[in-house]
């Protein structure tokens, strides 16, 4: 019986050692690998198909106006950051965290006025989004030349949409 316990213990130690070796190997690869998306001399990006955020910074003052309106409604608004230009026709993108819900940020896209995605959002309430070489239809609301989205699961979804529908005037 004692030999069986020792054999079982040795077997379990081998499994743990193998698991640790496998995990250690994965992390060492991650630490030494170069990022998959790098800016080349021409300014283009290469990598796994993610859209570039280059040139789409939310610099238009209308983005600041949206943030002010959200704060005026009592929402805690995080720092304005650039989102991904993963919708064709995007000229600028803003992503902000509302009330600390960093897994469900509020996203606002400024679009070219003749964009097919902008027209689709106004007519059907959906746009074609491209990410990692894949594309699909997602629900998106539109107001003038802006698209906006916050996940239905966000606790302040309705409050954010009320600001965009009732209070935000892009002019």
């Amino acid at each position: 019986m004692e030999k069986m316990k020792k054999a079982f213990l040795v077997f379990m130690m081998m499994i743990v050692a193998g698991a640790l070796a496998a995990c250690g190997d994965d992390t060492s690869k991650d630490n030494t690998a170069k990022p998959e998306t790098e800016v080349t001399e021409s300014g283009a990006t290469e990598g796994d198909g993610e859209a570039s955020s280059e040139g789409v910074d939310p610099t238009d003052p209308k983005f600041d106006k949206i943030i002010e309106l959200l704060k005026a409604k009592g929402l805690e608004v995080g720092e304005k950051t650039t989102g991904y230009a993963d919708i064709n026709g995007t000229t600028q993108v803003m992503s902000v965290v509302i009330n600390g819900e960093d897994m469900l940020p509020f996203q606002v896209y400024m679009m070219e006025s003749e964009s097919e995605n902008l027209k689709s959002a106004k007519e059907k309430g959906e746009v074609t989004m491209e990410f990692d070489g894949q594309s699909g239809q997602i629900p998106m609301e539109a107001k003038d030349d802006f698209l906006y989205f916050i996940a239905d699961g966000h606790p302040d979804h309705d409050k954010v949409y009320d600001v965009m529908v009732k209070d935000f005037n892009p002019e």
Side-chain angles (χ1 to χ4, degrees):
M1 185 73 156
E2 193 67 31
K3 287 183 182 182
M4 197 161 158
K5 285 182 183 178
K6 286 181 182 179
F8 181 71
L9 181 61
V10 169
F11 178 71
M12 293 303 292
M13 293 301 286
M14 287 177 20
I15 291 174
V16 170
L20 289 173
C23 290
D25 191 32
D26 287 345
T27 57
S28 66
K29 286 180 185 175
D30 289 343
N31 290 336
T32 60
K34 290 185 178 181
E36 291 185 30
T37 304
E38 294 181 8
V39 177
T40 62
E41 288 180 22
S42 66
T45 60
E46 59 185 19
D48 60 354
E50 285 187 18
S52 169
S53 61
E54 187 175 328
V56 296
D57 289 334
T59 57
D60 191 283
K62 293 173 187 148
F63 289 110
D64 295 326
K65 183 177 182 180
I66 292 170
I67 290 173
E68 290 171 17
L69 291 169
L70 292 168
K71 287 180 179 179
K73 291 294 181 181
L75 297 168
E76 179 187 318
V77 181
E79 183 179 335
K80 173 176 70 172
T81 60
T82 300
Y84 288 104
D86 43 12
I87 299 174
N88 286 335
T90 300
T91 59
Q92 295 181 34
V93 184
M94 174 182 74
S95 180
V96 294
V97 173
I98 305 292
N99 287 341
E101 294 287 335
D102 59 351
M103 296 301 290
L104 304 170
F106 177 47
Q107 300 169 9
V108 182
Y109 297 77
M110 180 183 277
M111 304 296 291
E112 296 169 353
S113 57
E114 296 300 318
S115 164
E116 288 298 318
N117 276 314
L118 183 61
K119 290 177 187 174
S120 177
K122 288 179 178 179
E123 294 170 6
K124 302 177 198 171
E126 63 184 23
V127 298
T128 302
M129 181 176 275
E130 298 177 11
F131 187 76
D132 282 341
Q134 303 291 321
S135 65
Q137 300 295 315
I138 62 162
M140 189 77 70
E141 299 294 322
K143 183 151 191 183
D144 291 335
D145 290 347
F146 289 85
L147 299 177
Y148 55 96
F149 174 81
I150 191 164
D152 288 338
H154 194 286
D156 297 299
H157 173 274
D158 294 341
K159 198 179 247 188
V160 170
Y161 273 37
D162 280 350
V163 167
M164 292 302 292
V165 171
K166 297 176 182 174
D167 301 327
F168 178 58
N169 184 2
E171 296 177 18

